[in-house]
Amino acid sequence: MDLNSASNIVLQVLTQATSQDTAVLKPAEEQLKQWETQPGFYTVLLNIFTNHTLDVNVRWLAVLYFKNGIDRYWRRVAPHALSEEEKSTLRSGLIASFNEPVNQIATQISVLIAKVARLDCPRQWPELIPTLVESVKIQDDLRQHRALLTFYHVTKTLASKRLAADRKLFYDLASGIYSFTCSLWNHHADTFLQQICTKDETTMSNSLERTLLSLKVLRKLTVHGFVEPHRNIEVMEFLHAVFERLKQFLECSKSIEADNVCRDRLEKTIILLTKVLLDFLDQHPFSFTSLIQKSLEFAVSYVFTEAGEGVVFERFIVQCMNLIKMIVKNYAYKPSKNMEDSSPETLEAHKIKALFFTYPTLTEICRRLVTKYFLLTEEELTMWEEDPEGFTVEETGGDSWKYSIRPCTEVLFIDIFHEYNQTLTPVLLEMVHTLQGPTNMNDTQALLIKDAVYNAVGLAAYELFDSVDFDQWFKNQLLAELQVSHNRYKPIRRRVIWLIGQWISVKFKSDLRPMLYEAICNLLQDQDLVVRIETATTLKLTVDDFEFRTDQFLPYLESMFTLLFQLLQEVRECDTKMHILHVLSCVIERVNMQIRPYVGCLVQYLPLLWKQSEEHNMLRCAILTTLVHLVQGLGADSKNLYPFLLPVIQLSTDVSQPPHVYLLEDGLELWLVTLENSPCLTPELLRVFQNMSALLELSTENLRTCFKIINGYIFLSPSEFLQVYAAELCKSFCEILKDITTEGQVQVLKVVENVLKVNPVLGPDMFQPLLPSVFRGIINGERYPVVMSTYLGVIGRVLLQNKNFFSLLLNQMACECSQEPDQLLGHMIEMWVDRMDNITQPERRKLSALALLSLLPSDNSVIQDKFCGIINISVEGLHDVMSEDTETRTFKDCMLMSFLEEPKPTEEEEPPTEQDKRKKMLALKDPVHSVSLQQFVYEKLKAQQELLGEQAFQALMETVDTEIVTQLQDFLQGF
């Protein structure tokens, strides 16, 4: 590309590419795409985006194309890679001047320089770092800032490289520039502190920006630039100085008004300083040992004493708490049970912690956490009144909750209580003791304190297991508190029912459950919505608990289900509806079929909720989950839901519909349980299968469920289903088997095996294209045992139940292999006998014995030659399936089934689905379960004897090992 003539053309096309008119935009984008691989194109782009007289949008686009080009064409091995000559020119041009006036473009240029540095620095670009170091010394504000910005992005990128050689290069770089970077940071920090008294916000803000950028560089160098940073004096001096800098900046924050740019940058700088400590502790815990004492003193002072009053802000408190938590929890600081096995560094750190966390300090931290940081704030109480659902979502982990102070304080409390529970348990129990009995309704502070203390007891439930008699507390006080209906007492009602939910799986007698269910029923009618939602949450925890007993719950089922449904209708927020649906699902799942009398209202409401949730895919996922449990509970009666259910399944599993991205997994689960519980195949349910072909092409993690669905149709109505879809299914399977895992192969073949079970006459013809590869796999000795086992299962079915088709297949394969059919049959039997141990399922082992025995009687010399192997497999099969009656000393085939065998499910067992019943009926017709192997062996040997005559038959039996013959005679006694 000729640069002189090309510049104007490229500029013109870039201008067109910024157009809002697609007719202009699309051709321009195509032209730019074609130029991407042209030599000189990126030099032209560099000239355009560094020309400050041009339109900003055009320059912005030029930077983006340049940046994308680095990713695609900068590496030497890339197709259409840039020439070394052009790259050298571009590197020089990128750092020729740091004077970009537009902030967004300056950031992009810094990022693309960092991208080049990642690939070329320092070997091909040794001048980059020295140039940046010199440029940040320039007095010109703009140039200094842009150079600092680039310095930061380059350092950040180089620090992220993880290969050993790259790490070594970064260590060398850090050693070389650390001293300078420290000086730079101190210079800008001191400059800002000197400017505080001027009250010039613009000057202060600019200084803070440089302070922040230089600190970002220093953070990367400190955390990632040294193998053993504690051996570097400058690194440790900087880290020890962080605490003083933090105090200075916090003090400065008093004199800067909130909600302005300067205050925002100052807070960012303070937070970044705390991140330096946190990152350093995370990466170098032993190097941090000398900082433990200072860190704890600093953090505890500002968060848990009056020192922080008026200067701390929420994010800073969170960072300080994180610092304390990381020191308390740090695995490197925990000695082994046998102290002699611990390193000196671990023992030193543990000693420092032990000296700091004295009884008075721990007591004060615990009390402050509970009585200050656990208290509901004025803002939270206002939100409770004005937006109760919003309050509930925040309390249970909404997006803003994750970044607020409350979860951080709770996690810190849990960690400290776990680490020092022997010290803190009496402290917390004393706080509980002082709150015995009812609390004055008019004393808001006392109510909030009780709420906070109960919160602490809930969070520390596992630690307090041996110290709190929760059953007595529940009966003697908590139950009474739940019955106080005054509006001002609602924080306590909510907290107590939450507290019970925390203890339900820790320590709660089963005998007390009915009392709790009674209380839950009452609270689900509470005047306060937040209390009702919290009660629903505790109900879920209760029914999910392993000590849950259905018989205790059933008397309250109707009332609870009705109240939960009313709550579901009342709430408006998507998150809350999802939550209540989840509770309903859990209840339905636990009581199963006993839910049937009470679901009418929910069944009528769900179609409306589905329609209303068109824009809320996650809520639709919750509806799908509820429908899964509903169908399982309704069993065959779920057919009445089909007018709603089947369109929902159709939409959720249609890969051409955008919502499938969210709904597919749950939609497939619903489809499967619908089939499992369907009493018959309706035309609409059959039509839904049209979605399956595209699903099989996806080959995703949902493939296993897809195969279960296919099997569900086969068991439900094999003739009707296979008549419509067999050809399409066979075609899909042939495609899948070309590129699928071993497990996938097995799943496909299991479907074929099921088809042969339900229709042994027509099944082989329907899936004929698949069978040669199965036969071939046996002959070639398939190396994966699980696949070989399935191959033998499929061919065993054909051989046993469709002799004519087996003969056709044998002749086809003999022709393909250029062998005689008998020769190929002999090879197959030989491989079958040799690989019998690959078959682990008793059903398939019996099937193999039946299939090979079905070749008898025969005067075929090949079959007689393999007679010994057939008898060996038959005796193995007899050992697998025969059980001996100790009284009569007779044997019985334990795989035989009868119509009379129908044991009733116990309370713990789920009742059989419609599909379970269908599979039972199918099994009754299956030779594996309807033919006695003992009888079959006897009849086949008898027939062989009659065919050959006594003398020839005895000669044949003499080919069998005498021990096997003896075992066979034992099994055939009485015949």
Side-chain angles (χ1 to χ4, degrees), residues 672-785:
L672 178 59
V673 299
T674 300
L675 284 167
E676 289 174 342
N677 291 278
S678 178
C680 61
L681 181 63
T682 66
E684 295 78 15
L685 183 55
L686 181 62
R687 203 175 301 125
V688 175
F689 195 80
Q690 292 172 354
N691 284 358
M692 184 55 71
S693 181
L695 288 165
L696 292 175
E697 288 176 16
L698 283 180
S699 295
T700 62
E701 64 275 6
N702 295 310
L703 209 52
R704 180 187 285 268
T705 310
C706 290
F707 286 126
K708 288 181 180 178
I709 289 167
I710 295 167
N711 285 323
Y713 277 100
I714 291 168
F715 294 132
L716 179 57
S717 184
S719 300
E720 199 176 345
F721 170 66
L722 292 170
Q723 185 180 351
V724 179
Y725 289 110
E728 183 184 323
L729 207 51
C730 186
K731 184 180 175 183
S732 292
F733 284 175
C734 287
E735 289 299 314
I736 288 172
L737 288 172
K738 292 176 185 176
D739 181 28
I740 200 170
T741 61
T742 301
E743 185 187 354
Q745 279 183 286
V746 171
Q747 294 298 329
V748 169
L749 294 170
K750 278 182 178 177
V751 173
V752 176
E753 201 174 359
N754 284 329
V755 171
L756 298 175
K757 275 184 192 177
V758 299
N759 198 334
V761 178
L762 298 178
D765 286 313
M766 291 174 174
F767 288 88
Q768 192 279 332
L770 293 170
L771 296 177
S773 64
V774 175
F775 198 101
R776 209 176 292 119
I778 295 173
I779 298 300
N780 295 334
E782 164 62 45
R783 63 195 179 103
Y784 290 109

Side-chain angles (χ1 to χ4, degrees), residues 575-610:
D575 286 339
T576 322
K577 282 190 180 292
M578 285 168 56
H579 178 57
I580 304 304
L581 271 173
H582 189 47
V583 177
L584 280 164
S585 294
C586 290
V587 171
I588 296 169
E589 184 179 18
R590 291 312 294 261
V591 301
N592 204 284
M593 296 171 69
Q594 292 172 97
I595 198 65
R596 291 180 182 182
Y598 315 117
V599 295
C601 54
L602 181 62
V603 167
Q604 290 176 0
Y605 176 65
L606 285 178
L608 173 63
L609 184 59
W610 180 265

Side-chain angles (χ1 to χ4, degrees), residues 319-451:
Q319 293 294 92
C320 286
M321 287 185 176
N322 284 337
L323 188 59
I324 298 168
K325 181 187 72 176
M326 281 183 69
I327 293 171
V328 168
K329 277 188 72 175
N330 204 300
Y331 182 76
Y333 301 159
K334 292 186 178 181
S336 305
K337 288 184 178 178
N338 183 0
M339 286 288 194
E340 294 176 0
D341 295 336
S342 303
S343 68
E345 294 86 356
T346 297
L347 294 174
E348 175 64 20
H350 180 70
K351 180 182 175 183
I352 295 169
K353 278 172 57 181
L355 288 172
F356 179 82
F357 285 113
T358 59
Y359 176 79
T361 301
L362 285 168
T363 303
E364 187 61 21
I365 290 173
C366 180
R367 289 187 183 280
R368 290 266 183 164
L369 276 171
V370 175
T371 60
K372 179 180 178 182
Y373 292 108
F374 279 15
L375 294 185
L376 289 169
T377 65
E378 197 65 46
E379 291 82 359
E380 288 169 324
L381 292 170
T382 302
M383 189 178 190
W384 185 330
E385 294 298 329
E386 296 176 357
D387 181 15
E389 286 188 60
F391 172 83
T392 304
V393 170
E394 290 297 306
E395 282 286 296
T396 52
D399 286 340
S400 60
W401 185 87
K402 286 186 285 190
Y403 304 106
S404 72
I405 196 168
R406 183 173 300 283
C408 185
T409 59
E410 291 180 352
V411 170
L412 177 61
F413 174 81
I414 292 167
D415 290 337
I416 287 185
F417 205 94
H418 175 74
E419 189 75 10
Y420 302 103
N421 63 79
Q422 289 186 330
T423 303
L424 293 177
T425 294
V427 177
L428 185 55
L429 292 181
E430 184 197 342
M431 294 170 77
V432 173
H433 184 71
T434 60
L435 297 171
Q436 293 297 313
T439 305
N440 186 346
M441 306 287 180
N442 298 315
D443 191 342
T444 303
Q445 187 66 15
L447 289 171
L448 293 180
I449 291 287
K450 177 176 272 194
D451 173 82

Side-chain angles (χ1 to χ4, degrees), residues 23 27 53 95 222 241 267 271 371 375 381 389 422 442 446 512-513 612 625 640 681 685 705 741 886:
T53 63
I95 57 173
T222 303
E267 289 189 359
I271 295 303
T371 60
L375 294 185
L381 292 170
E389 286 188 60
Q422 289 186 330
N442 298 315
L512 298 176
R513 296 283 174 122
Q612 291 172 342
T625 303
N640 298 325
L681 181 63
L685 183 55
T705 310
T741 61
T886 52

